Amino acid sequence: MPEWYGPYGGSYVPETLIPALKELESAWKSARRDPEFRSRFQELARDWGGRPTPLYFAERLTRELGGAEIYLKREDLVHGGAHKLNNALGQGLLALRLGKRRLIAETGAGQHGVATAMIGAKLGLTTEVYMGAADMERQQPNVLRMRLLGATVRPVTQGQQTLKEAINEALRDWIANVQDTHYLLGSAVGPHPFPSLVADFQSVIGRELRRQSRARWGRDPDLVLACVGGGSNAIGTFHPLLRGPARLIGVEARGSGEGPGGGAASLVRGSVGVLHGMRTYLLQDEEGQILPTQSVSAGLDYAGVGPEHAWLKDSGRVEYTAATDRQALEAFHRLARTEGILPALEPSHALAVAIQRAPDLPRDQHLVVTLSGRGDKDLAEVQRLGPAR
Amino acid sequence: MGRLGEVLRQRRQRREGSLLTYLMAGSVPPETFLGCVRAFRAAGVTGMEVGFPFSDPMAEGPVIQRAASRSLARGTRWSDLLALLPQVSGELPVAVMTYLNVVLRHGGEKALTELREHGADAVILPDLPLEGLRDLGPHRRTDGLDIVLLASPATGEERLLRLARRTGGFLYLVSRYGTTGLGGGTTPSTRTHPLDLTEEIRQVHEERPRLPVLAGFGVRDAQDVRSFLDQGADGAIVGSLLQDRLNEGADPSELEATVRSLVEGLSSKRLGLDATRERGL
Ligand SMILES: Cc1ncc(COP(=O)(O)O)c(C=O)c1O
């Protein structure tokens, strides 16, 4: 498992966590070669998690836009309503293998919190989820879901009260309780081995996509888009395609388009630094203080990004761009009305860029968007923001 | 070696316990800060730890988090730290404690050079692991600025000895699982207790007999200081106890009284002569 992606990655954490990180890495190395672990994982992913997910042809949207054929990789149909379960399931089983009795997690949109609460309930582990108070407000349905699943939701009231602060608190909890607790980190961020561990568990998205597209039209897709918060659904989508010919685009959140951080687009607007145990691109000021972020989508509203994305940006293999709140909302409404699917606001950012680019591509090309989650959690927020123009 | 490391080493040789006091730069006006430093010196403190704020201090409990937010809200900048350091180091040996990103953003090695030129003897970065030392360039442990590494109760023996070999000035031994603070974490689940570190300290001293080991995190009173010394440590580091009072508006003379009482924990008897006292540690 790589710790470094070019100059990015590492494990910049207090000494107390170092042994736990090493222990986690070796647990995963042995588990992934253990047939019993693998078959349990695959059985749960299928029967409980709903995998594989379909690759869906968005026919009306394609016709409206008049360019490349648009397909959706339907991670919104995974149990819980987002790709987050792919990782929570894997790490939950690892926690059990490590003999940990307690799970903690951070969550922004609440989807990772829900996924952790689900696996915690399923495996009989105590589960506590840190969530920024501002995110609890805008993603209320998920707070209720976590509680119904038996998890404790701990409001985080420091700073901006969003994802970054929730990660801070989860790390602090882990430092105090590392002996009996597994920190089930929800994105491809944080200290090694989390970025590569999460990428491993999420790569099922790209593996299925590659198989499905080859079965369907005989080759890889031409253009693949995914939204990037911490970057887990995107890295899971891209990983299996990196060696192939597909053009890959990661879409960050530009927010309202104003503000010092320019929304939450750390790859597009940021500079290199160290946060949450990793060296990567960050939104920070000249003094090295992390900047406030802003996005309509709680899951993308984060000042950092996974280190592998930082490297894929530098190497030029993946193009990173950003969509505004407004563009994401328009894409949300458009998909709802053309395809009968309410997407989460996070992948609506990737959809927005797909909608921009599809018309310019030849009709015989295949464009895929990873629809990382469903929009039920966002209904109140979308209503508050008003109808599409 | 920096002056702080030198002083700590001499005190270890003389079997005198040491006390380092931590306060966050910029959490109060510079005059108040310096008033505290002078008061601590008068109370018999060995050295000063000057905190510099980072927006996301993952190893800190609520008290130091609040001090950092306050300092940033007051607009504290790196240049303010550089302006403050010579005055602090005029009173006491100084270690600067901050987070890696701040140092990297100010040029990494260049930032360390600036700290040294302004009177710092050491730098403590709780999110810099042993493996990250190379990020700070060839400068480390040279030119009078020590990079102090931290060890924790979670650290296994082999790694502990590597930390002991690589640290500069002294080894900072975190006394428990948890963040800085008096035990009251943000949530009940972050409340933990100091552990008995006698064996760890013995191993370090066996590996590097002249290296001072200072224990910290969660020191509340002279008893805590005393118990670290009884476990074989060369001294204690106290932060949140003092910063909490400062956050609540205490003035330097009030803090001086608290520090005097802590210093008594050093002098009630000489180092390493009697057995570890219980006290549920
Ligand atoms: C549906 C959905 N998509 C995307 C994300 C962003 O996370 P990542 O970039 O790790 O995929 C989230 C995070 O909460 C999410 O809920």
Side-chain angles (χ1 to χ4, degrees):
Chain A
M1 310 177 76
E3 172 168 4
W4 295 100
Y5 303 95
Y8 305 110
S11 29
Y12 298 93
V13 292
E15 189 60 32
T16 301
L17 295 182
I18 298 279
L21 294 170
K22 293 196 192 297
E23 176 190 63
L24 178 60
E25 179 175 7
S26 53
W28 172 228
K29 279 181 177 159
S30 80
R32 71 177 163 188
R33 272 183 264 104
D34 175 354
E36 214 169 298
F37 183 93
R38 291 164 57 123
S39 74
R40 173 109 171 111
F41 177 76
Q42 277 155 11
E43 179 194 320
L44 283 175
R46 185 190 64 218
D47 299 346
W48 187 65
R51 297 217 74 91
T53 60
L55 181 63
Y56 165 73
F57 179 38
E59 199 174 350
R60 279 196 71 207
L61 185 63
T62 298
R63 231 183 298 134
E64 267 193 25
L65 293 170
E69 290 189 357
I70 299 175
Y71 290 79
L72 305 176
K73 179 62 178 157
R74 298 291 307 274
E75 294 301 295
D76 59 318
L77 296 179
V78 176
H79 180 39
H83 70 293
K84 296 290 182 184
L85 189 73
N86 303 331
N87 167 52
L89 170 58
Q91 283 196 48
L93 292 177
L94 276 183
L96 215 57
R97 194 178 171 94
L98 286 166
K100 307 279 171 152
R101 299 305 309 162
R102 178 172 175 266
L103 298 177
I104 55 170
E106 85 298 340
T107 196
Q111 288 299 144
H112 175 60
V114 166
T116 306
M118 292 189 313
I119 193 64
K122 158 100 201 114
L123 301 177
L125 303 172
T126 307
T127 305
E128 294 177 35
V129 180
Y130 289 91
M131 188 171 190
D135 287 340
M136 288 177 72
E137 191 62 37
R138 58 177 167 167
Q139 306 276 244
Q140 268 180 16
N142 278 342
V143 175
L144 182 59
R145 289 211 288 165
M146 286 185 263
R147 288 182 175 146
L148 291 172
L149 289 158
T152 305
V153 182
R154 297 204 177 277
V156 177
T157 53
Q158 289 98 322
Q160 282 204 107
Q161 315 190 348
T162 56
L163 181 57
K164 171 172 70 91
E165 290 80 14
I167 297 178
N168 289 342
E169 277 306 282
L171 284 166
R172 290 177 187 129
D173 182 316
W174 205 28
I175 292 170
N177 299 294
V178 65
Q179 290 164 294
D180 73 343
T181 297
H182 175 66
Y183 178 15
L184 208 164
L185 191 41
S187 190
V189 300
H192 178 73
F194 284 110
S196 53
L197 180 66
V198 175
D200 281 353
F201 287 132
Q202 291 293 1
S203 290
V204 64
I205 303 173
R207 281 197 307 272
E208 285 178 11
L209 167 57
R210 196 179 50 189
R211 196 170 63 235
Q212 289 162 328
S213 63
R214 286 178 185 175
R216 209 139 165 171
W217 58 77
R219 55 190 166 90
D220 283 359
D222 299 288
L223 182 62
V224 179
L225 298 102
C227 65
V228 179
S232 70
N233 87 87
I235 209 70
T237 303
F238 296 163
H239 241 211
L241 302 170
L242 283 175
R243 294 221 181 86
R247 279 179 59 206
L248 307 172
I249 301 181
V251 184
E252 299 188 291
R254 203 185 287 284
S256 64
E258 295 142 25
S266 22
L267 288 163
V268 173
R269 302 279 304 267
S271 54
V272 176
V274 170
L275 176 69
H276 292 153
M278 59 181 165
R279 182 192 287 268
T280 186
Y281 281 91
L282 305 173
L283 295 169
Q284 59 180 330
D285 67 13
E286 290 303 311
E287 289 276 305
Q289 307 296 342
I290 307 305
L291 287 169
T293 53
Q294 178 265 321
S295 167
V296 68
S297 87
L300 304 186
D301 198 352
Y302 178 55
V305 66
E308 190 168 6
H309 287 292
W311 180 234
L312 289 170
K313 171 194 155 86
D314 283 11
S315 72
R317 176 64 187 92
V318 178
E319 172 191 344
Y320 293 92
T321 182
T324 63
D325 290 350
R326 202 16 77 195
Q327 291 167 327
L329 272 166
E330 282 168 11
F332 173 99
H333 288 293
R334 186 150 191 178
L335 193 73
R337 293 189 189 177
T338 54
E339 298 295 340
I341 297 170
L342 291 169
L345 285 172
E346 288 80 12
S348 296
H349 286 72
L351 271 174
V353 175
I355 289 168
Q356 281 172 0
R357 306 234 178 159
D360 298 332
L361 297 173
R363 283 164 195 251
D364 62 355
Q365 293 216 343
H366 301 89
L367 180 160
V368 177
V369 179
T370 296
L371 199 66
S372 56
R374 68 180 189 222
D376 306 50
K377 68 185 177 63
D378 295 315
L379 300 187
E381 193 66 7
V382 168
Q383 196 170 28
R384 190 180 68 76
L385 292 161
R389 273 180 304 197
Chain B
M1 188 185 310
R3 181 177 49 143
L4 178 62
E6 197 52 59
V7 169
L8 292 172
R9 178 185 285 215
Q10 287 164 9
R11 293 179 69 91
R12 166 166 173 73
Q13 260 165 5
R14 297 199 299 267
R15 301 183 141 240
E16 288 172 345
S18 297
L19 184 70
L20 302 189
T21 43
Y22 171 102
L23 290 177
M24 175 66 76
S27 63
V28 290
E31 315 81 71
T32 313
F33 191 96
L34 290 166
C36 291
V37 173
R38 282 189 282 269
F40 295 175
R41 180 190 180 177
V45 155
T46 317
M48 190 70 202
E49 233 183 85
V50 178
F52 183 79
F54 176 52
S55 52
D56 296 272
M58 79 168 112
E60 313 299 347
V63 169
I64 292 177
Q65 283 177 50
R66 201 174 318 128
S69 311
R70 185 178 297 188
S71 178
L72 290 173
R74 293 167 52 95
T76 304
R77 300 176 62 89
W78 184 252
S79 54
D80 299 315
L81 174 67
L82 297 183
L84 183 68
L85 281 177
Q87 305 182 68
V88 179
S89 78
E91 304 291 333
L92 286 167
V94 189
V96 170
M97 184 154 177
T98 186
Y99 284 77
L100 182 58
N101 196 53
V102 170
V103 169
L104 294 177
R105 192 66 171 163
H106 291 93
E109 197 168 0
K110 173 174 160 280
L112 298 184
T113 306
E114 282 177 347
L115 291 179
R116 175 177 50 79
E117 285 171 359
H118 289 79
D121 304 294
V123 63
I124 304 169
L125 304 168
D127 60 345
L128 179 77
L130 180 60
E131 295 77 6
L133 273 177
R134 60 168 180 218
D135 295 29
L136 294 175
H139 176 100
R140 57 191 140 106
R141 277 218 261 150
T142 60
D143 299 346
L145 187 87
D146 292 314
I147 300 176
V148 178
L149 296 176
L150 296 90
S152 130
T155 310
E157 180 175 351
E158 189 219 342
R159 190 172 169 88
L160 181 66
L161 299 185
R162 275 170 63 210
L163 289 166
R165 286 193 294 270
R166 298 293 297 280
T167 192
F170 65 96
L171 183 69
Y172 191 144
L173 187 54
V174 173
S175 69
R176 60 172 188 194
Y177 288 89
T179 53
T180 57
L182 303 178
T186 323
T187 65
S189 44
T190 53
R191 266 173 222 145
T192 56
H193 303 288
L195 301 162
D196 187 338
L197 302 166
T198 310
E199 182 54 22
E200 284 83 351
I201 296 167
R202 192 193 60 72
Q203 287 166 355
V204 172
H205 282 152
E206 204 174 280
E207 178 73 16
R208 260 183 89 179
R210 286 154 62 83
L211 181 72
V213 177
L214 273 69
F217 281 37
V219 172
R220 287 154 304 179
D221 52 29
Q223 287 258 21
D224 288 339
V225 173
R226 181 75 256 148
S227 92
F228 287 148
L229 299 191
D230 288 343
Q231 292 170 38
D234 299 289
I237 302 173
V238 57
S240 297
L241 175 72
L242 305 174
Q243 186 68 55
D244 192 29
R245 313 249 345 251
L246 201 62
N247 290 352
E248 301 305 323
D251 61 32
S253 64
E254 292 171 75
L255 288 184
E256 180 175 343
T258 308
V259 173
R260 273 190 197 284
S261 73
L262 295 173
V263 169
E264 276 166 25
L266 299 177
S267 52
S268 53
K269 77 162 182 38
R270 297 189 47 206
L271 267 178
L273 296 181
D274 75 14
T276 306
R277 202 163 24 170
E278 297 296 306
R279 253 200 84 218
L281 293 176

